[in-house]
Each structure stands twice: as structure tokens, then as C-alpha cells.
Amino acid sequence: MQENDKKLRIMNIPMQYFLVLSTFMFFAGIYGFITRRNMLAILISLELVVNAVDINFVVFNRYLYPGSMEGFFFTLFSIGITAAESAIAIAIIINIYRNLHNIEVRNMNKMKH
Amino acid sequence: MEIAANEIVFYVLSVVIVVFSILTVTTRRILRAATYLLFVLIGTAGLYLLLNYHFLAVVQIMVYAGGIVVLFIFSILLTSHAGDKAEPLRLKDRLLGLSAALAGVALVLPVILMNTFGPTTPVAADEQIDMTVIGSALMGAGKYQYILPFEAISILLLACIVGGILIARKR
């Protein structure tokens, strides 16, 4: 137990501090995702969520499995996928703006008619 | 009690990240939200540097700060007028969002703080990963090497280019 604690403090910052930090970032993103009405603002909140998860991958990799690189590559690929995803989402949003002149989510039901 | 330099850096970065992530989701001007997101992403790159993942910090700055945020700012300028403000939140919505976020924090924080994470491998690497190691792991086809996801991502990006052009072009 004592030994564990010592090993987890490789860099004299406990691992849990990073996790708490990313928790706050994640749930700030969740709050924005629920309360925002503008589609671009929702996408920005989503970036916060993804970024918090990336921090967790890297921190687990560094503290728990310093010899391997799985978390590192997960984050690398996650950044790539997020870039692709937001590019497509922004293309869709701009297309919606072109048709409806508005990107508020409550107007999105117009697509049904 | 002496405080090491990396602790100071960590505390500064965490204050920056927490404050700006909250500002990102609460500000009523969306252009400011994008700018605050930029600060959060740069702070995250700082965390990666602190953890000795230099390559990841560079990728984070290049792809997020250099690519995604610029894309966001362009699309915000395309879809809204300067000085546009979101209408104030209804109390019900604010309460809903706050209760969801706080319930999540209340669920996750005790789990993180009470769990003891044991190291499963001997702690050795505190130094940064060599670039040749990253390159050969990214390009190799053996065990713990990543040529398949690398190629899958390249196809995904190609599909995204085609899809983006197809969706956003003028009719």
C-alpha cells in the first residue's frame, strides 16, 4: 500500500490529481452539451469531453504502464478521428445554415417536412 | 515543505484548464467559447509535455489548436454575426445541465479518490519516448504495432475529405 503510493508518485504529482482535473473538464463538457442551443457550441462542448478522455488515456499510460505505449497511441488516433469527425460535423452544420439560415437546434425539426 | 517546479506547472495548468473549460460552456458569445476552447487545448498540450509525451503535445497543438479551432472560428464567422449573443438560459435548462454535471462529478470523484491504482509494471520510464520507437511502432505490423489502425485512419480521412466536399459544396 505504502509502496504503491510511492510508485504512483513518479513525478511527485499523484496520478489522481490528473484524473480529477479531467473529470471536471469532462463534466463541464457534459453541462455545455445539455444546455447549449447552438450546434457549433454543442460541438465545442464535445471537444472538451473528448479531450478529457484523451488526458485519461495518457495519464494511465504514463503512471500505470510506463513501459508500453498503448495509451499514447490511443490518444494519437483519437485526436485524428476527432479532427475528421469535427470537419464532417462542421460541413453538415454549414449545409444546414445554407438551407435554414439558422443553426439553433430547436429549428432542426424542419428537416422532417 | 518545498514545491518542485513541475508541481507549480501542474497547478497553473490545471487552474487554466478548469477555469477556461467552465468559461467555454458558460459564455454567451460563441466566438469567445471557441477562443476559450483554444486555451483549454493548449493547456492540455502543456499537460502532455509535463508527462514527457513531447510528440503528443506537438500533435495536440498542430491538429487541435492549428486545425480544429481555426475550422471552428471560420464556421462561427460564416454562420453568425459579430457580437451575436446566445439568449440567456432558462432556469429549467440550467438546472437540468447543472444537476447532470454535478451528479456525474459526484459519481466519478469518489471512485477515483477511493480506488488504489497499483502499478502493474515496474516503474522505469520517466523519460520521453524516442521518435524512432514511435515511428516503428506506428508503421510496424508485429505485436503492439499499429499499421492496421494507421491505415484505417488514412482511409477514414480520405472518406472525410470526399464526404466533406460532397456535403458542403454548392448545389
Side-chain angles (χ1 to χ4, degrees):
Chain A
M1 182 68 196
Q2 198 67 34
E3 192 65 13
N4 266 0
D5 270 6
K6 216 159 120 195
K7 275 183 182 168
L8 280 178
R9 285 166 171 269
I10 321 166
M11 333 204 313
N12 64 35
I13 303 166
M15 172 182 168
Q16 279 84 353
Y17 287 15
F18 284 93
L19 300 182
V20 170
L21 173 61
S22 75
T23 305
F24 281 118
M25 200 164 153
F26 186 94
F27 286 106
I30 295 281
Y31 173 80
F33 190 80
I34 293 174
T35 54
R36 289 295 195 175
R37 290 291 168 265
N38 184 321
M39 289 180 84
L40 278 170
I42 291 177
L43 205 59
I44 286 176
S45 310
L46 214 60
E47 295 296 322
L48 277 182
V49 171
V50 172
N51 215 49
V53 175
D54 285 354
I55 293 180
N56 272 12
F57 275 133
V58 169
V59 168
F60 281 127
N61 191 172
R62 174 52 88 199
Y63 278 82
L64 299 185
Y65 302 91
S68 53
M69 299 197 294
E70 272 68 44
F72 177 88
F73 278 107
F74 258 74
T75 302
L76 203 59
F77 290 128
S78 156
I79 289 175
I81 291 174
T82 313
E85 166 243 305
S86 31
I88 287 295
I90 285 174
I92 292 174
I93 290 172
I94 287 180
N95 203 10
I96 289 172
Y97 180 78
R98 205 176 275 153
N99 289 321
L100 303 181
H101 302 286
N102 198 321
I103 50 170
E104 302 285 306
V105 272
R106 65 167 170 272
N107 297 323
M108 288 307 116
N109 59 0
K110 278 178 189 149
M111 273 196 243
K112 287 190 288 198
H113 307 309
Chain B
M1 197 181 101
E2 73 175 285
I3 301 175
N6 60 357
E7 284 185 65
I8 298 173
V9 173
F10 174 77
Y11 289 128
V12 170
L13 282 177
S14 41
V15 168
V16 166
I17 287 179
V18 168
V19 167
F20 281 115
S21 11
I22 291 170
L23 279 178
T24 304
V25 292
T26 50
T27 179
R28 281 169 57 198
R29 293 171 193 264
I30 182 165
L31 200 55
R32 285 190 192 169
T35 315
Y36 296 143
L37 177 75
L38 176 67
F39 291 133
V40 174
L41 296 174
I42 290 176
T44 309
L47 280 189
Y48 294 159
L49 279 180
L50 194 66
L51 290 163
N52 274 318
Y53 286 119
H54 295 192
F55 182 66
L56 214 51
V58 174
V59 169
Q60 170 91 1
I61 297 250
M62 274 175 62
V63 176
Y64 265 120
I68 295 182
V69 171
V70 172
L71 208 58
F72 269 122
I73 288 178
F74 268 114
S75 54
I76 287 168
L77 293 178
L78 276 175
T79 55
S80 64
H81 306 283
D84 265 6
K85 267 182 160 181
E87 50 194 85
L89 276 177
R90 281 177 302 173
L91 187 67
K92 200 182 107 202
D93 291 345
R94 189 187 297 268
L95 281 181
L96 185 68
L98 262 183
S99 56
L102 289 181
V105 170
L107 193 69
V108 172
L109 270 192
V111 175
I112 288 174
L113 293 177
M114 290 195 300
N115 192 16
T116 46
F117 300 94
T120 52
T121 44
V123 174
D126 204 14
E127 68 278 3
Q128 59 170 311
I129 306 175
D130 196 36
M131 227 12 246
T132 50
V133 177
I134 296 173
S136 53
L138 204 57
M139 286 296 166
K143 202 181 178 192
Y144 301 124
Q145 292 181 321
Y146 293 88
I147 186 72
L148 193 62
F150 184 81
E151 291 298 332
I153 284 220
S154 67
I155 293 175
L156 174 76
L157 287 177
L158 178 69
C160 274
I161 294 171
V162 176
I165 294 173
L166 206 66
I167 292 170
R169 72 171 172 178
K170 269 213 159 71
R171 298 272 140 62

